[in-house]
Amino acid sequence: MRLPPAIVGHAEEVLREILRFTGPADVTLSRYFREHPRLGSRERGVIAEAIYGLLRNKSVYTSFSESGSGPAMRRLTLLGLADAAGVDALGGLSDDEIQWLERVMQIDRSHLSLAMKSNMPAWIWDKFVAKLGEEEALKLAESLNVPAPLDLRVNTMKSNREDVVASLAAAPIIAEPTPYSATGLRIRKKPSIQNLPLFKDGTIEVQDEGSQLLAQLVGAKRGEMVADFCAGAGGKTLALGAAMRNTGRLYAFDISEKRLAKLKPRLARSGLSNVHPVVIAHEKDAKIKRLAGKLDRVLVDAPCSGLGTLRRNPDVKWRQTADGIAELNVKQSSILDGAARMVKGGGRLVYATCSVLDEENEAIVEGFLATHPDFVLVPASKVLAEQKVDLEMGDYLKLMPHIHQTDGFFAAILERNKTVAAPKPEVSEAEAVEE
């Protein structure tokens, strides 16, 4: 069935705004669809798929769009729509446009340069090649340019993986166990799960398997004091709370009240009562200083480039810059330093990012260890074995989409020496956090 001719205009209009890269593509798309409620679900789906396809393949499509005639933005839009729905599905095209599209779609892309095939900005591609070599860099780039499957985490406070698989099958939704996370499920197609009873009652949460593994590395136990230092909307916070079996005290810190507000409905569904969301001004907030030396475990999922999440957020690679990475590095070091103050002697600090760049990962950890002799690096291989995760790693957790089928993640496990006194809190724990 052909799409209405007007869909080209809608796709072109929203693409023009997104390519200004002034904000996240998903936010812009959602707002555009709200402003145009007469667009049907099929039209919205095709537009979204075309936009995301263009963002994933922008280098190639920009090159292709230089041929043909007419406005360049229209040609770029037509390429995205043709890839998403097929040339035959597009209505209102001229004969010249149809012929051009059919010709372009038949181009053998295997003859393109590796840099063009990567569909990465030159500075990112150069970093990938320097790190991995051209062949492996292309595998990484291509895996980041493929849409991610839908990963779920089973809330073990409410159910188990086997029962959830059976319940989903009745929907019918086919889910398979993730290979590494014992609480993870993977759905190859992307059904709408928001209306499922399992989602509404907090039995399942959407969470990439890699993110689930970060929570496992923390190793949170019953009765402990734990903090998710950059909690955001709280996906890892909820996983930590379930691991603690709803005991102890779990702080969810973030500088954004808006992000923490998104945690509240998820928290209500989860059945957890040991989570305490706290808005902080910065990593040196008095609320942090007052907990100095008191926490058993702290997770720092630091603000980063997000280049490990390009399967879900392809616009990030075009919005991010090399200068932006350098600014993030300063923030990452400062946040890790602030979070470390809370860890007690013998306690664990996990530094993590959803980046694949060394300067956001190993370099930050090495700098931290050089200035914090009271902390030591615990090999990720050791902690994974303790958690019964069948995954071969060295000193660090390094998850890559082309190898592990997760988003790109990095994590380092650090422990404070038991014989070294941790910083003393300025006040008692009872006064520590105003909630």
Side-chain angles (χ1 to χ4, degrees):
M1 189 172 75
R2 282 205 165 193
L3 292 162
I7 199 168
V8 177
H10 284 293
E12 184 177 347
E13 184 179 347
V14 72
L15 176 63
R16 182 176 284 106
E17 183 174 354
I18 285 172
L19 290 184
R20 296 190 184 105
F21 298 121
T22 55
D26 59 343
V27 174
T28 302
L29 266 175
S30 295
R31 189 187 72 248
Y32 188 87
F33 291 152
R34 286 197 304 272
E35 293 171 352
H36 296 81
R38 296 183 68 178
L39 282 169
S41 59
R42 182 179 178 229
E43 286 84 358
R44 292 196 302 271
V46 170
I47 291 172
E49 189 176 344
I51 296 296
Y52 277 90
L54 280 164
L55 291 170
R56 290 188 175 97
N57 300 284
K58 182 171 169 286
S59 295
V60 169
Y61 285 154
T62 299
S63 176
F64 287 174
S65 70
E66 291 171 0
S67 64
S69 59
M73 188 62 69
R74 179 176 171 86
R75 296 199 301 273
L76 196 59
T77 304
L78 291 178
L79 285 169
L81 288 169
D83 219 15
V87 178
D88 293 341
L90 303 181
L93 304 189
S94 68
D95 290 341
D96 286 345
E97 286 176 327
I98 292 171
Q99 291 171 11
W100 172 74
L101 277 174
E102 289 175 342
R103 188 168 61 251
V104 168
M105 288 300 172
Q106 292 173 3
I107 293 175
D108 184 354
R109 301 185 191 186
S110 66
H111 297 302
L112 299 173
S113 69
L114 293 182
M116 181 74 73
K117 286 181 189 176
S118 78
N119 279 289
M120 294 287 167
W123 69 273
I124 295 178
W125 172 243
D126 290 344
K127 285 182 182 294
F128 284 5
V129 171
K131 177 183 174 73
L132 302 169
E134 283 192 341
E135 185 178 347
E136 191 77 3
L138 185 60
K139 289 179 182 177
L140 171 60
E142 288 177 340
S143 69
L144 286 168
N145 288 327
V146 175
L150 177 65
D151 283 3
L152 306 175
R153 179 183 62 80
V154 175
N155 179 359
T156 54
M157 296 294 297
K158 296 200 169 190
S159 189
N160 59 65
R161 194 156 63 171
E162 292 72 22
D163 288 348
V164 170
V165 168
S167 296
L168 288 172
I173 296 171
I174 304 303
E176 59 190 42
T178 50
Y180 309 120
S181 170
T183 57
L185 291 171
R186 181 159 295 153
I187 299 171
R188 297 297 174 183
K189 296 182 179 179
K190 291 192 176 180
S192 177
I193 66 166
Q194 283 78 6
N195 294 321
L196 291 178
L198 286 172
F199 182 82
K200 289 182 175 181
D201 69 10
T203 300
I204 56 174
E205 279 283 346
V206 175
Q207 187 177 21
D208 184 77
E209 183 185 22
S211 179
Q212 295 178 42
L213 290 178
L214 294 187
Q216 281 190 250
L217 291 181
V218 176
K221 298 176 181 176
R222 292 174 181 265
E224 291 186 331
M225 288 186 64
V226 180
D228 186 354
F229 197 66
C230 305
K236 284 176 280 294
T237 305
L238 299 177
L240 291 170
M244 296 166 70
R245 305 306 297 171
N246 202 25
T247 64
R249 193 170 182 85
L250 174 56
Y251 294 109
F253 291 113
D254 204 275
I255 61 171
S256 171
E257 187 171 1
K258 187 176 180 180
R259 282 196 294 265
L260 280 181
K262 294 179 180 179
L263 168 60
K264 291 183 179 179
R266 302 174 76 184
L267 189 57
R269 292 196 303 265
S270 73
L272 296 173
S273 58
N274 65 335
V275 178
H276 304 272
V278 182
V279 179
I280 55 175
H282 44 69
E283 64 271 16
K284 296 179 182 177
D285 193 300
K287 296 170 185 174
I288 303 301
K289 291 181 179 180
R290 292 167 186 165
L291 288 170
K294 285 193 166 290
L295 270 59
D296 296 282
R297 299 168 197 270
V298 177
L299 170 62
V300 178
D301 184 10
C304 68
S305 64
L307 294 180
T309 68
L310 296 183
R311 301 186 307 168
R312 306 168 196 282
N313 309 297
D315 55 310
V316 166
K317 61 186 173 184
W318 307 112
R319 291 194 290 116
Q320 194 57 263
T321 65
D323 289 343
I325 301 294
E327 292 175 9
L328 280 168
N329 293 157
V330 175
K331 184 181 294 185
Q332 288 156 352
S333 294
S334 181
I335 287 174
L336 184 56
D337 181 69
R341 289 182 57 86
M342 296 188 291
V343 181
K344 71 180 185 182
R348 177 175 293 181
L349 173 65
V350 175
Y351 172 78
T353 73
C354 51
S355 173
V356 294
L357 300 183
D358 291 348
E359 54 263 52
E360 297 188 85
N361 298 334
E362 292 95 329
I364 299 298
V365 175
E366 289 164 7
F368 174 83
L369 289 171
T371 54
H372 294 76
D374 51 333
F375 279 87
V376 296
L377 181 69
V378 179
S381 55
K382 177 185 176 184
V383 178
L384 289 167
E386 291 171 352
Q387 293 290 321
K388 296 180 173 57
V389 178
D390 185 17
L391 184 58
E392 290 188 14
M393 287 287 158
D395 285 345
Y396 302 113
L397 178 80
K398 296 181 183 180
L399 296 174
M400 296 290 229
H402 66 299
I403 298 172
H404 305 106
Q405 285 72 58
T406 66
D407 285 347
F409 279 107
F410 169 89
I413 304 104
L414 306 159
E415 287 191 359
R416 179 166 244 141
N417 194 322
K418 289 182 181 180
T419 62
V420 178
K424 293 182 179 180
E426 296 175 9
V427 296
S428 67
E429 181 199 334
E431 305 170 282
V433 181
E434 297 175 9
E435 300 170 37

